[in-house]
Amino acid sequence: MILAPGMPHCLRIIGLAAALLVCGGAQAACIVTGPPDAPDRICALALSASRVTALLPDGRTVELAPPTGLEPRAGCRLPDAGYLICGDTAAWVRPVQVAAQWRPVAGAPSQVRQAVGLGGNRLLLLYGGVATAGGLSGAQVGLYELTAGHTLAPLHIGVRSDANPRFLAVGELDDGPHALIGVVTVAVFDRYPRLRPWLYALAGERMTPAWLGTSFARPYITAGFGDVDATNAGDELCSLELDADGRRLITAYRRHGFVMEGVAQSGPGTLGDTLRTARIGPGEDLVCVWVGGATGQIVGYRMRSAGTGGLGALEPSLATPELARPAAWAVTVDGDGPHAVVLSAQGALERLQMRREAGVPVAIDSQSTL
């Protein structure tokens, strides 16, 4: 159930007929971030086709020759091992030190589409399936562990192919770590396949269903975790949604058992397809999105509370300078503050500081409600 603030006994669903936009499978390019400050370590890897580009803390970039036959598709950083990079049929791991070497990893499933580290050597993998015109179909999500012998050992297959998972994210709710899986399936009261948010608790060696939601308050494009509300101990769920007019906006929800309460939202804008979060202080995350078309900015939103019982506002706070729309991007935070790590369409990798004075032309409609 989704509750809007001030509406404890009713649910308002808007625009269910709006277009459903989801990713079609493996990304054409992606960026994996790592430790930002260590001088002898790689702080980000950009993966595209047969290229792997490393970003160093001083802003320099280095081309890393990938292992023979590896076409990078997805990756994540494992604190105890380094960067895990997956191709269609193989996986390799590389420690974060600049001079380190690639090591082969056994046991990786075929066609890894997304990898998310959980701390230590555990990770979630979205893999398999077929990329169709309507999106990824028939994939699975599994919990894995990288062993000391460099083998990916399956611990639990949490989401089967009949649920059609499209993306995954990991965060910390007030009752522990959880995974958010976007699935395209039917529901009890809605027999049409739509993108739906499913939550799984991550405890021990299993993915335990915690909330198999029918919908957020609106049709959504993607979602993730972000600690935007300082009054709440855990993360909120941040969803990139479509309003009744097809405009895009961000909504933050707080989970109360089987209820999702909307706590803040942005105004509508020309927003991209991806959400990223970055920890900018104790208990506070910046929620970042591309704003613009062929040119634009990567913009970070922060929550302004509306007081007890009110719907807060997610407002533009920091932004990069204007740039051409990148092939991939991520956000990191170091001693100089938040930076966007950007991979251009031409393959150039750079780091751009996000500043208040960059200017953000996004209107906030304070009268909008869930």
Side-chain angles (χ1 to χ4, degrees):
M1 178 179 289
I2 310 294
L3 294 182
M7 301 171 61
H9 302 296
C10 64
L11 170 64
R12 184 180 177 195
I13 302 293
I14 302 175
L16 283 178
L20 179 65
L21 302 175
V22 294
C23 64
Q27 298 173 326
C30 67
I31 293 175
V32 184
T33 57
D37 293 327
D40 63 336
R41 300 190 175 195
I42 295 169
C43 60
L45 283 183
L47 313 178
S48 60
S50 59
R51 295 181 62 186
V52 179
T53 307
L55 178 68
L56 306 184
D58 60 6
R60 292 181 297 125
T61 60
V62 177
E63 293 293 326
L64 302 179
T68 302
L70 176 65
E71 294 187 2
R73 302 296 185 189
C76 66
R77 186 174 72 91
L78 302 176
D80 293 346
Y83 292 100
L84 176 74
I85 308 301
C86 300
D88 281 340
T89 59
W92 296 70
V93 69
R94 192 183 196 281
V96 296
Q97 289 78 13
V98 175
Q101 300 296 315
W102 295 98
R103 299 176 183 175
V105 173
S110 298
Q111 295 180 309
V112 173
R113 315 271 181 178
Q114 189 181 356
V116 178
L118 302 177
N121 280 339
R122 291 193 176 183
L123 66 157
L124 288 177
L125 295 178
L126 170 66
Y127 62 92
V130 177
T132 70
L136 182 63
S137 176
Q140 300 185 94
V141 175
L143 176 63
Y144 282 76
E145 183 173 36
L146 181 65
T147 69
H150 284 86
T151 295
L152 278 175
L155 301 178
H156 183 225
I157 307 303
V159 183
R160 300 287 180 177
S161 58
D162 57 351
N164 293 310
R166 295 285 177 89
F167 73 86
L168 60 92
V170 172
E172 188 82 18
L173 299 181
D174 55 6
D175 56 345
H178 284 70
L180 172 65
I181 316 291
V183 301
V184 177
T185 187
V186 299
V188 174
F189 301 109
D190 181 8
R191 306 310 297 173
Y192 188 82
R194 305 182 195 276
L195 184 63
R196 307 185 190 279
W198 286 6
L199 271 177
Y200 287 80
L202 300 174
E205 298 184 351
R206 294 188 61 82
M207 299 171 59
T208 304
W211 186 75
L212 305 184
T214 299
S215 174
F216 288 120
R218 305 177 186 87
Y220 79 108
I221 297 165
T222 191
F225 294 87
D227 194 351
V228 299
D229 185 357
T231 66
N232 185 43
D235 289 342
E236 283 71 48
L237 294 173
C238 299
S239 175
L240 180 60
E241 301 179 345
L242 296 165
D243 69 10
D245 297 319
R247 301 175 301 176
R248 299 185 178 196
L249 69 161
I250 305 168
T251 305
Y253 298 90
R254 181 183 302 134
R255 174 173 168 255
H256 302 283
F258 293 104
V259 175
M260 289 288 176
E261 176 193 6
V263 296
Q265 69 179 25
S266 74
T270 308
L271 308 183
D273 300 327
T274 303
L275 286 182
R276 300 277 187 260
T277 58
R279 180 57 50 91
I280 57 174
E284 184 179 14
D285 287 343
L286 198 65
V287 181
C288 303
V289 66
W290 173 260
V291 178
T295 60
Q297 298 167 282
I298 297 167
V299 178
Y301 288 74
R302 298 172 73 178
M303 177 177 168
R304 175 171 55 82
S305 176
T308 304
L311 182 64
L314 289 171
E315 299 181 328
S317 174
L318 304 173
T320 64
E322 189 171 274
L323 68 152
R325 187 165 189 154
W329 60 274
V331 177
T332 63
V333 180
D334 59 21
D336 295 327
H339 292 78
V341 181
V342 175
L343 180 68
S344 74
Q346 293 74 37
L349 183 65
E350 62 178 331
R351 185 172 57 180
L352 302 174
Q353 189 159 18
M354 300 179 70
R355 302 178 183 273
R356 284 186 175 86
E357 59 266 27
V360 185
V362 181
I364 297 296
D365 179 4
S366 60
Q367 302 304 311
S368 296
T369 59
L370 289 176

